[in-house]
Amino acid sequence: MNSVAVLHASQLVTLAGPKRPRVGSEMSNLAIIRDGGILICDGVVAAIGSSKEIARKARGSRIIDAGGRVILPGFIDAHTHLVFAGNRLDDFERRLRGETYEQIAAAGGGIWSTVQKTRAAGETDLLDQSKKHAEWFLKCGTTTVEAKSGYGLTVDDELKILRVIRQLNEQTPLEVVPTFLGAHAAPREMHVDEYVDRAIEEMLPRVVSEKLAEFCDVFCEHGYFDVEQSRKILSAAKKLGLKLRIHADQLSNSGGAKLAGELKATTADHLEKTDGQGIGAMKSANVQPVLLPGSVYALGSASYPRAREMIETGLAVVIATDFNPGSSPSPSMPMMLSLACTQMKMSPAEALTASTINAAYTLGRGDMIGSLEPGKLANFSTFDCEDYRELAYWFGFSQADSVYVRGERVWSGGLRPSAKN
Ligand SMILES: [Zn+2]
């Protein structure tokens, strides 16, 4: 048996607790062990406790000294568009000059430009570009991500993206959970209703028969897919056995959160414009809200979702990066913690719960990841600080020192800057 013990974390943030998503005041309970240690056997947490206790149980194990750093479960990023080709640097500059989304699209930018680049990329090239993104996530302490298709918009290109997601899962230490988002936008060559039919009749059956996705998502928004079109696609996906996520109420209060409630979706994501009724609909159907402060920030908007109201209503709030080349080019969960606290007034503890255990439950993996408890995977990171609140307090750089997946170190900050002489 391969056994290793990590000792002397200033704070071992376990997030041990009830075996379900955390709500209300539970989101503030991180179950921290001071001077904590973990014993890991064959990639699984075998025991957790004080360093003294773990050292006693660890005879014969390899010992790693955490050196008084904070240990957290690996972050779980429940909303990303990880696989795409190229970037959107020109859009970025146009937006800074004050151009509107319509002007940028007319100049050849916007989502369509990423679709063209992603269609043109071969599977190997796309995989190489995506591996770089996967490495960025790991460096920031994220060990599991959800990743959506949606930059192909043809049967072949959507399947190509989902196959790249499968290969990332096989070839990198990052665990990647696949979502089919064929309904990200309608392609220029087709009327939206015709595209909805194609997604239902041609794409979904292939995605399901080739087992390429666990979830189906739709961009439910005026000018993309209205509530009726979204309902049609998501109902078809549900019948085929996929679970549901919805891009809801990002740009307008268009009924996305209510639709998520009606269809008993696992998550409703974005929710910048969701009102009290939408929050009520999510509450009565146990839908988890996934809040994406990075896209609000990067678009230069001030319209953050109503996180406090959602927590006080008893929703099991999640925060995620929405990593994508247009509206949220950041894979950094620590940056999202900063935004959740400063812009949405979540506490550092609530933000950590939202980016670990609550996120794990939205991916159907709450029994395996998201907290450090015996029997769960030993996915965790050490951070160069002594107090977990520093993760949300210092911002703009990663404090991750080492990142572990199934007990194996997959990334390390490595060399310390040397002293001047
Ligand atoms: Zn998104």
Side-chain angles (χ1 to χ4, degrees), residues 159-179:
L159 292 174
K160 174 176 76 180
I161 294 169
L162 291 169
R163 282 196 303 270
V164 166
I165 291 174
R166 178 147 75 191
Q167 291 180 77
L168 278 177
N169 221 348
E170 292 164 358
Q171 296 178 25
T172 76
L174 188 68
E175 182 188 23
V176 191
V177 180
T179 294

Side-chain angles (χ1 to χ4, degrees), residues 12 50 76 109 125 135 140 189 231 239 251 276 285 289 292 294-295 314 341 388 395-396 399 416:
L12 174 56
S50 68
I76 295 166
D125 180 19
E135 199 180 304
C140 295
E189 63 267 14
R231 183 187 285 117
K239 266 194 206 133
L251 308 171
L292 308 167
S295 58
C341 295
Y388 75 87
F395 74 94
Q399 296 164 77
R416 297 272 170 276

Side-chain angles (χ1 to χ4, degrees), residues 79-81 148 181 184 217 247 270 292 322 324:
H79 183 134
T80 85
H81 304 253
K148 306 171 195 297
L181 176 60
H184 194 190
D217 192 343
H247 279 69
H270 275 292
L292 308 167
D322 193 18
N324 77 77

Side-chain angles (χ1 to χ4, degrees), residues 213-226:
E214 296 181 27
F215 293 90
C216 180
D217 192 343
V218 168
F219 192 30
C220 179
E221 189 65 59
H222 296 301
Y224 292 85
F225 299 91
D226 63 24

Side-chain angles (χ1 to χ4, degrees), residues 342-362:
T342 61
Q343 308 302 306
M344 304 197 293
K345 309 304 172 200
M346 291 171 72
S347 70
E350 289 168 340
L352 279 184
T353 302
S355 55
T356 54
I357 188 70
N358 277 6
Y361 277 103
T362 73

Side-chain angles (χ1 to χ4, degrees), residues 99-362:
E99 289 188 25
T100 63
Y101 187 84
E102 288 73 23
Q103 285 170 318
I104 292 170
I111 183 174
W112 189 246
S113 66
T114 300
V115 170
Q116 286 175 312
K117 286 177 208 157
T118 305
R119 283 182 180 178
E123 198 165 316
T124 314
D125 180 19
L126 197 55
L127 178 63
D128 285 345
Q129 296 193 48
S130 303
K131 277 183 177 169
K132 187 171 170 185
H133 303 158
E135 199 180 304
W136 291 344
F137 280 97
L138 287 167
K139 278 184 186 174
C140 295
T142 297
T143 51
T144 302
V145 303
E146 181 260 13
K148 306 171 195 297
S149 68
Y151 292 117
L153 312 184
T154 66
V155 179
D156 288 346
D157 290 302
E158 286 295 305
L159 292 174
K160 174 176 76 180
I161 294 169
L162 291 169
R163 282 196 303 270
V164 166
I165 291 174
R166 178 147 75 191
Q167 291 180 77
L168 278 177
N169 221 348
E170 292 164 358
Q171 296 178 25
T172 76
L174 188 68
E175 182 188 23
V176 191
V177 180
T179 294
F180 170 63
L181 176 60
H184 194 190
R188 285 198 173 162
E189 63 267 14
M190 205 179 286
H191 185 271
V192 60
D193 282 321
E194 195 188 337
Y195 184 67
V196 168
D197 290 341
R198 178 158 304 178
I200 292 171
E201 287 158 18
E202 294 181 35
M203 294 181 179
L204 273 171
R206 288 281 299 277
V207 167
V208 170
S209 73
E210 295 181 35
K211 295 191 169 57
L212 285 168
E214 296 181 27
F215 293 90
C216 180
D217 192 343
V218 168
F219 192 30
C220 179
E221 189 65 59
H222 296 301
Y224 292 85
F225 299 91
D226 63 24
V227 167
E228 190 44 50
Q229 290 158 341
S230 301
R231 183 187 285 117
K232 219 172 145 184
I233 296 172
L234 292 169
S235 304
K238 197 172 176 179
K239 266 194 206 133
L240 292 171
L242 295 180
K243 290 172 282 178
L244 310 180
R245 315 179 88 82
I246 306 183
H247 279 69
D249 307 336
Q250 179 186 8
L251 308 171
S252 61
N253 185 20
S254 55
K258 279 186 240 164
L259 180 65
E262 177 196 318
L263 295 174
K264 299 202 168 10
T266 304
T267 66
D269 303 39
H270 275 292
L271 308 172
E272 284 88 331
K273 298 291 196 304
T274 302
D275 60 8
Q277 275 192 333
I279 292 175
M282 287 192 284
K283 168 72 178 153
S284 49
N286 270 326
V287 177
Q288 283 190 255
V290 179
L291 310 182
L292 308 167
S295 58
V296 182
Y297 168 82
L299 289 173
S301 156
S303 179
Y304 287 90
R306 290 147 70 167
R308 285 254 58 87
E309 196 177 323
M310 293 180 197
I311 291 171
E312 274 142 31
T313 305
L315 296 182
V317 170
V318 174
I319 57 173
T321 62
D322 193 18
F323 176 69
N324 77 77
S327 60
S328 190
S330 173
S332 169
M333 199 61 95
M335 180 68 195
M336 301 308 132
L337 298 180
S338 168
L339 292 173
C341 295
T342 61
Q343 308 302 306
M344 304 197 293
K345 309 304 172 200
M346 291 171 72
S347 70
E350 289 168 340
L352 279 184
T353 302
S355 55
T356 54
I357 188 70
N358 277 6
Y361 277 103
T362 73

